[in-house]
Amino acid sequence: MAQVLADPVEGAILINKGVANLHPVWHPRDRKFAYLSSRDADFFSQTGLYIHDLATGQDKKVAARAISPPVWSLDGDTLYFAAQSKPDKHGSRWYDLYAYDINAGKERRLTHGERATAPVLIDSMTLAYLTVRDGTSNVRRLDLATGATHTLTHLDDGLYLHSLSYRAGDSLLVADATENHGRALYTVNLSTGNLEQLPATGGPGGDRRNPEITATGILVSTDASGVHNLYREGDEGPGYLTNVTGGAFMPSVNAAGEVLYSLYKNGRYRIALLQPSKIVALEEVGISPGNWKNRPTSPQEGPNLALQPRPYKEEMSRMFILPRIMMDYETLKPGLFFYANEVLDRMNLFGGASINKLGDTDYFLLTEFRKFRPTFFATIFTARRADSRTSA
């Protein structure tokens, strides 16, 4: 890591407020970009959608509850994004696609109950996006003119996809998917829906995520060296573009070759701008070039795994004990709390007891049953034997 500190390459920090500043995306024409930020919220996951104007340095919040990379329309007048919906009549909240009209300042919901994330523009009137059902991701298309949706893939093997990019030259989508202890890149054929793993041709290997299609290849975030950095794959000088200590993620490249990305540093994600620059030498990046090979791997079970189902039997966890100490009647009163819960959280047991040197004791036991509806609480017993000196 000493070589990184000696020659860091991270660009200029543009957005520094808040804990989570994620997924910057260049405007197709102007010196602006859209991004997600939790700057006005209490938690990392409470991100809103913002537009930053590089000419003025001003930020504008255009939507709340946004949760995945935004995408601009071809004319730059509309932003498409995924956001958490308001509760439906059953109280459920869904991730769905929305459109924000820049000129009118209005938001419009495009899907309902889709569990939709990661939209990407295929042409002026078509979006592709990800959905998830039963732990497996699939790719769907949305016709913006009619609102009709169509499923492109029919996966049922537990594969989880995170993001999409469109490679117009060969009409393929590029996605990153969880694989073992990292991510790998796949192409999705728009005509057949077939997935093929995309090899790291000439690249360093390791976890490859957040694919960004460029004019000459693909830009990814990889942790091959032990630290996530941006790596350019393709014919135009493949190699690392960043050299950071925390992590470089979620790149976006404009026509001039400028790179926006999310920089993780000192416990926060910031938006940074990287001007076109020289390739960073492999031996200067991260911990070591082949660090990723030290990670353990686990075989993934296939769909033909033979499992024999059996009826579920309620089973309690082991008893957990927490010591406690308090002052009572100006004397120390040591004791303990104890608790246990059923594996599926259908029953909980919580209790405690304490005693001081005067023999003054207290104890209680509470149980919670989720097996029935509504949830049933019961106090089995609670008692306190007071000091006889105070009972007169």
Side-chain angles (χ1 to χ4, degrees), residues 188-211:
V188 182
N189 190 299
L190 287 174
S191 300
T192 65
N194 293 335
L195 269 72
E196 292 186 11
Q197 189 163 347
L198 187 65
T201 306
D207 177 303
R208 296 159 75 217
R209 63 178 64 188
N210 309 140

PDB file of all heavy atoms in Angstrom, residues 188-211:
ATOM      1  N   VAL A 188     -25.812 -10.073 -22.357  1.00  0.00           N
ATOM      2  CA  VAL A 188     -27.196 -10.525 -22.542  1.00  0.00           C
ATOM      3  C   VAL A 188     -27.602 -10.192 -23.975  1.00  0.00           C
ATOM      4  O   VAL A 188     -27.592  -9.028 -24.383  1.00  0.00           O
ATOM      5  CB  VAL A 188     -28.150  -9.828 -21.553  1.00  0.00           C
ATOM      6  CG1 VAL A 188     -29.577 -10.357 -21.736  1.00  0.00           C
ATOM      7  CG2 VAL A 188     -27.684 -10.018 -20.110  1.00  0.00           C
ATOM      8  N   ASN A 189     -27.916 -11.217 -24.736  1.00  0.00           N
ATOM      9  CA  ASN A 189     -28.330 -11.034 -26.125  1.00  0.00           C
ATOM     10  C   ASN A 189     -29.762 -10.514 -26.163  1.00  0.00           C
ATOM     11  O   ASN A 189     -30.682 -11.149 -25.643  1.00  0.00           O
ATOM     12  CB  ASN A 189     -28.221 -12.352 -26.888  1.00  0.00           C
ATOM     13  CG  ASN A 189     -28.407 -12.184 -28.376  1.00  0.00           C
ATOM     14  OD1 ASN A 189     -29.460 -11.740 -28.835  1.00  0.00           O
ATOM     15  ND2 ASN A 189     -27.394 -12.544 -29.140  1.00  0.00           N
ATOM     16  N   LEU A 190     -29.969  -9.349 -26.783  1.00  0.00           N
ATOM     17  CA  LEU A 190     -31.295  -8.740 -26.801  1.00  0.00           C
ATOM     18  C   LEU A 190     -32.290  -9.522 -27.644  1.00  0.00           C
ATOM     19  O   LEU A 190     -33.499  -9.405 -27.459  1.00  0.00           O
ATOM     20  CB  LEU A 190     -31.208  -7.303 -27.322  1.00  0.00           C
ATOM     21  CG  LEU A 190     -30.588  -6.284 -26.357  1.00  0.00           C
ATOM     22  CD1 LEU A 190     -30.421  -4.938 -27.047  1.00  0.00           C
ATOM     23  CD2 LEU A 190     -31.427  -6.139 -25.108  1.00  0.00           C
ATOM     24  N   SER A 191     -31.796 -10.318 -28.582  1.00  0.00           N
ATOM     25  CA  SER A 191     -32.691 -11.089 -29.449  1.00  0.00           C
ATOM     26  C   SER A 191     -33.101 -12.410 -28.820  1.00  0.00           C
ATOM     27  O   SER A 191     -34.267 -12.798 -28.871  1.00  0.00           O
ATOM     28  CB  SER A 191     -32.020 -11.352 -30.805  1.00  0.00           C
ATOM     29  OG  SER A 191     -31.715 -10.140 -31.460  1.00  0.00           O
ATOM     30  N   THR A 192     -32.137 -13.093 -28.207  1.00  0.00           N
ATOM     31  CA  THR A 192     -32.408 -14.434 -27.679  1.00  0.00           C
ATOM     32  C   THR A 192     -32.549 -14.470 -26.163  1.00  0.00           C
ATOM     33  O   THR A 192     -33.107 -15.420 -25.619  1.00  0.00           O
ATOM     34  CB  THR A 192     -31.286 -15.390 -28.087  1.00  0.00           C
ATOM     35  OG1 THR A 192     -30.058 -14.970 -27.452  1.00  0.00           O
ATOM     36  CG2 THR A 192     -31.105 -15.391 -29.603  1.00  0.00           C
ATOM     37  N   GLY A 193     -32.030 -13.469 -25.462  1.00  0.00           N
ATOM     38  CA  GLY A 193     -32.045 -13.491 -24.005  1.00  0.00           C
ATOM     39  C   GLY A 193     -30.952 -14.348 -23.404  1.00  0.00           C
ATOM     40  O   GLY A 193     -30.905 -14.513 -22.182  1.00  0.00           O
ATOM     41  N   ASN A 194     -30.063 -14.907 -24.230  1.00  0.00           N
ATOM     42  CA  ASN A 194     -28.994 -15.775 -23.730  1.00  0.00           C
ATOM     43  C   ASN A 194     -27.921 -14.973 -23.005  1.00  0.00           C
ATOM     44  O   ASN A 194     -27.579 -13.855 -23.409  1.00  0.00           O
ATOM     45  CB  ASN A 194     -28.358 -16.549 -24.874  1.00  0.00           C
ATOM     46  CG  ASN A 194     -29.315 -17.557 -25.496  1.00  0.00           C
ATOM     47  OD1 ASN A 194     -30.248 -18.019 -24.834  1.00  0.00           O
ATOM     48  ND2 ASN A 194     -29.095 -17.894 -26.748  1.00  0.00           N
ATOM     49  N   LEU A 195     -27.390 -15.574 -21.935  1.00  0.00           N
ATOM     50  CA  LEU A 195     -26.299 -14.982 -21.176  1.00  0.00           C
ATOM     51  C   LEU A 195     -24.995 -15.710 -21.464  1.00  0.00           C
ATOM     52  O   LEU A 195     -24.982 -16.944 -21.546  1.00  0.00           O
ATOM     53  CB  LEU A 195     -26.565 -15.039 -19.667  1.00  0.00           C
ATOM     54  CG  LEU A 195     -27.284 -13.838 -19.046  1.00  0.00           C
ATOM     55  CD1 LEU A 195     -28.746 -13.823 -19.460  1.00  0.00           C
ATOM     56  CD2 LEU A 195     -27.141 -13.861 -17.527  1.00  0.00           C
ATOM     57  N   GLU A 196     -23.915 -14.957 -21.611  1.00  0.00           N
ATOM     58  CA  GLU A 196     -22.587 -15.535 -21.754  1.00  0.00           C
ATOM     59  C   GLU A 196     -21.629 -14.746 -20.889  1.00  0.00           C
ATOM     60  O   GLU A 196     -21.684 -13.513 -20.864  1.00  0.00           O
ATOM     61  CB  GLU A 196     -22.114 -15.493 -23.206  1.00  0.00           C
ATOM     62  CG  GLU A 196     -22.880 -16.406 -24.143  1.00  0.00           C
ATOM     63  CD  GLU A 196     -22.277 -16.434 -25.539  1.00  0.00           C
ATOM     64  OE1 GLU A 196     -21.149 -15.903 -25.697  1.00  0.00           O
ATOM     65  OE2 GLU A 196     -22.923 -16.980 -26.455  1.00  0.00           O
ATOM     66  N   GLN A 197     -20.753 -15.464 -20.183  1.00  0.00           N
ATOM     67  CA  GLN A 197     -19.795 -14.763 -19.341  1.00  0.00           C
ATOM     68  C   GLN A 197     -18.767 -14.056 -20.214  1.00  0.00           C
ATOM     69  O   GLN A 197     -18.290 -14.589 -21.204  1.00  0.00           O
ATOM     70  CB  GLN A 197     -19.097 -15.728 -18.383  1.00  0.00           C
ATOM     71  CG  GLN A 197     -18.257 -15.010 -17.330  1.00  0.00           C
ATOM     72  CD  GLN A 197     -17.912 -15.907 -16.161  1.00  0.00           C
ATOM     73  OE1 GLN A 197     -18.469 -16.982 -16.006  1.00  0.00           O
ATOM     74  NE2 GLN A 197     -17.001 -15.464 -15.324  1.00  0.00           N
ATOM     75  N   LEU A 198     -18.447 -12.834 -19.825  1.00  0.00           N
ATOM     76  CA  LEU A 198     -17.516 -12.007 -20.579  1.00  0.00           C
ATOM     77  C   LEU A 198     -16.134 -12.138 -19.952  1.00  0.00           C
ATOM     78  O   LEU A 198     -15.906 -11.691 -18.827  1.00  0.00           O
ATOM     79  CB  LEU A 198     -17.969 -10.548 -20.560  1.00  0.00           C
ATOM     80  CG  LEU A 198     -17.220  -9.559 -21.434  1.00  0.00           C
ATOM     81  CD1 LEU A 198     -17.417  -9.895 -22.900  1.00  0.00           C
ATOM     82  CD2 LEU A 198     -17.684  -8.137 -21.151  1.00  0.00           C
ATOM     83  N   PRO A 199     -15.186 -12.769 -20.651  1.00  0.00           N
ATOM     84  CA  PRO A 199     -13.862 -12.970 -20.056  1.00  0.00           C
ATOM     85  C   PRO A 199     -13.105 -11.664 -19.907  1.00  0.00           C
ATOM     86  O   PRO A 199     -13.348 -10.691 -20.630  1.00  0.00           O
ATOM     87  CB  PRO A 199     -13.161 -13.901 -21.062  1.00  0.00           C
ATOM     88  CG  PRO A 199     -13.847 -13.626 -22.368  1.00  0.00           C
ATOM     89  CD  PRO A 199     -15.279 -13.312 -22.022  1.00  0.00           C
ATOM     90  N   ALA A 200     -12.174 -11.643 -18.966  1.00  0.00           N
ATOM     91  CA  ALA A 200     -11.340 -10.458 -18.743  1.00  0.00           C
ATOM     92  C   ALA A 200     -10.174 -10.503 -19.716  1.00  0.00           C
ATOM     93  O   ALA A 200      -9.024 -10.774 -19.343  1.00  0.00           O
ATOM     94  CB  ALA A 200     -10.853 -10.415 -17.311  1.00  0.00           C
ATOM     95  N   THR A 201     -10.440 -10.270 -20.991  1.00  0.00           N
ATOM     96  CA  THR A 201      -9.419 -10.348 -22.027  1.00  0.00           C
ATOM     97  C   THR A 201      -8.341  -9.299 -21.789  1.00  0.00           C
ATOM     98  O   THR A 201      -8.594  -8.095 -21.859  1.00  0.00           O
ATOM     99  CB  THR A 201     -10.045 -10.130 -23.416  1.00  0.00           C
ATOM    100  OG1 THR A 201     -11.119 -11.045 -23.586  1.00  0.00           O
ATOM    101  CG2 THR A 201      -9.021 -10.345 -24.507  1.00  0.00           C
ATOM    102  N   GLY A 202      -7.146  -9.765 -21.494  1.00  0.00           N
ATOM    103  CA  GLY A 202      -6.042  -8.850 -21.249  1.00  0.00           C
ATOM    104  C   GLY A 202      -6.148  -8.103 -19.943  1.00  0.00           C
ATOM    105  O   GLY A 202      -5.304  -7.265 -19.634  1.00  0.00           O
ATOM    106  N   GLY A 203      -7.174  -8.383 -19.166  1.00  0.00           N
ATOM    107  CA  GLY A 203      -7.385  -7.675 -17.909  1.00  0.00           C
ATOM    108  C   GLY A 203      -6.788  -8.412 -16.733  1.00  0.00           C
ATOM    109  O   GLY A 203      -6.265  -9.525 -16.862  1.00  0.00           O
ATOM    110  N   PRO A 204      -6.877  -7.804 -15.544  1.00  0.00           N
ATOM    111  CA  PRO A 204      -6.232  -8.396 -14.371  1.00  0.00           C
ATOM    112  C   PRO A 204      -7.052  -9.471 -13.677  1.00  0.00           C
ATOM    113  O   PRO A 204      -6.570 -10.115 -12.759  1.00  0.00           O
ATOM    114  CB  PRO A 204      -6.046  -7.187 -13.452  1.00  0.00           C
ATOM    115  CG  PRO A 204      -7.194  -6.292 -13.796  1.00  0.00           C
ATOM    116  CD  PRO A 204      -7.441  -6.480 -15.265  1.00  0.00           C
ATOM    117  N   GLY A 205      -8.324  -9.670 -14.067  1.00  0.00           N
ATOM    118  CA  GLY A 205      -9.156 -10.663 -13.392  1.00  0.00           C
ATOM    119  C   GLY A 205      -9.761 -10.103 -12.117  1.00  0.00           C
ATOM    120  O   GLY A 205      -9.927  -8.904 -11.959  1.00  0.00           O
ATOM    121  N   GLY A 206     -10.084 -10.999 -11.186  1.00  0.00           N
ATOM    122  CA  GLY A 206     -10.660 -10.568  -9.925  1.00  0.00           C
ATOM    123  C   GLY A 206     -12.124 -10.187 -10.056  1.00  0.00           C
ATOM    124  O   GLY A 206     -12.791 -10.486 -11.049  1.00  0.00           O
ATOM    125  N   ASP A 207     -12.643  -9.516  -9.044  1.00  0.00           N
ATOM    126  CA  ASP A 207     -14.016  -9.015  -9.035  1.00  0.00           C
ATOM    127  C   ASP A 207     -14.120  -7.899 -10.078  1.00  0.00           C
ATOM    128  O   ASP A 207     -13.370  -6.920 -10.042  1.00  0.00           O
ATOM    129  CB  ASP A 207     -14.318  -8.487  -7.624  1.00  0.00           C
ATOM    130  CG  ASP A 207     -15.701  -7.866  -7.495  1.00  0.00           C
ATOM    131  OD1 ASP A 207     -16.021  -6.924  -8.236  1.00  0.00           O
ATOM    132  OD2 ASP A 207     -16.441  -8.320  -6.621  1.00  0.00           O
ATOM    133  N   ARG A 208     -15.071  -8.027 -11.011  1.00  0.00           N
ATOM    134  CA  ARG A 208     -15.284  -7.000 -12.042  1.00  0.00           C
ATOM    135  C   ARG A 208     -16.733  -6.551 -11.957  1.00  0.00           C
ATOM    136  O   ARG A 208     -17.647  -7.352 -12.093  1.00  0.00           O
ATOM    137  CB  ARG A 208     -14.964  -7.550 -13.434  1.00  0.00           C
ATOM    138  CG  ARG A 208     -13.514  -7.940 -13.602  1.00  0.00           C
ATOM    139  CD  ARG A 208     -13.351  -8.919 -14.747  1.00  0.00           C
ATOM    140  NE  ARG A 208     -13.475  -8.272 -16.050  1.00  0.00           N
ATOM    141  CZ  ARG A 208     -14.067  -8.846 -17.099  1.00  0.00           C
ATOM    142  NH1 ARG A 208     -14.637 -10.023 -16.995  1.00  0.00           N
ATOM    143  NH2 ARG A 208     -14.125  -8.202 -18.260  1.00  0.00           N
ATOM    144  N   ARG A 209     -16.940  -5.266 -11.746  1.00  0.00           N
ATOM    145  CA  ARG A 209     -18.297  -4.750 -11.543  1.00  0.00           C
ATOM    146  C   ARG A 209     -18.450  -3.367 -12.164  1.00  0.00           C
ATOM    147  O   ARG A 209     -17.486  -2.761 -12.601  1.00  0.00           O
ATOM    148  CB  ARG A 209     -18.629  -4.697 -10.053  1.00  0.00           C
ATOM    149  CG  ARG A 209     -17.763  -3.752  -9.252  1.00  0.00           C
ATOM    150  CD  ARG A 209     -18.175  -3.716  -7.782  1.00  0.00           C
ATOM    151  NE  ARG A 209     -17.994  -4.997  -7.128  1.00  0.00           N
ATOM    152  CZ  ARG A 209     -18.429  -5.257  -5.900  1.00  0.00           C
ATOM    153  NH1 ARG A 209     -19.072  -4.320  -5.205  1.00  0.00           N
ATOM    154  NH2 ARG A 209     -18.247  -6.437  -5.357  1.00  0.00           N
ATOM    155  N   ASN A 210     -19.715  -2.865 -12.161  1.00  0.00           N
ATOM    156  CA  ASN A 210     -20.042  -1.525 -12.667  1.00  0.00           C
ATOM    157  C   ASN A 210     -19.524  -1.293 -14.087  1.00  0.00           C
ATOM    158  O   ASN A 210     -18.800  -0.330 -14.351  1.00  0.00           O
ATOM    159  CB  ASN A 210     -19.462  -0.442 -11.751  1.00  0.00           C
ATOM    160  CG  ASN A 210     -19.786  -0.624 -10.291  1.00  0.00           C
ATOM    161  OD1 ASN A 210     -18.949  -0.405  -9.436  1.00  0.00           O
ATOM    162  ND2 ASN A 210     -21.004  -1.045  -9.983  1.00  0.00           N
ATOM    163  N   PRO A 211     -19.878  -2.157 -15.061  1.00  0.00           N
ATOM    164  CA  PRO A 211     -19.365  -1.981 -16.422  1.00  0.00           C
ATOM    165  C   PRO A 211     -19.873  -0.700 -17.079  1.00  0.00           C
ATOM    166  O   PRO A 211     -21.052  -0.365 -16.983  1.00  0.00           O
ATOM    167  CB  PRO A 211     -19.897  -3.225 -17.153  1.00  0.00           C
ATOM    168  CG  PRO A 211     -21.131  -3.609 -16.393  1.00  0.00           C
ATOM    169  CD  PRO A 211     -20.827  -3.288 -14.954  1.00  0.00           C
TER     170      PRO A 211
END
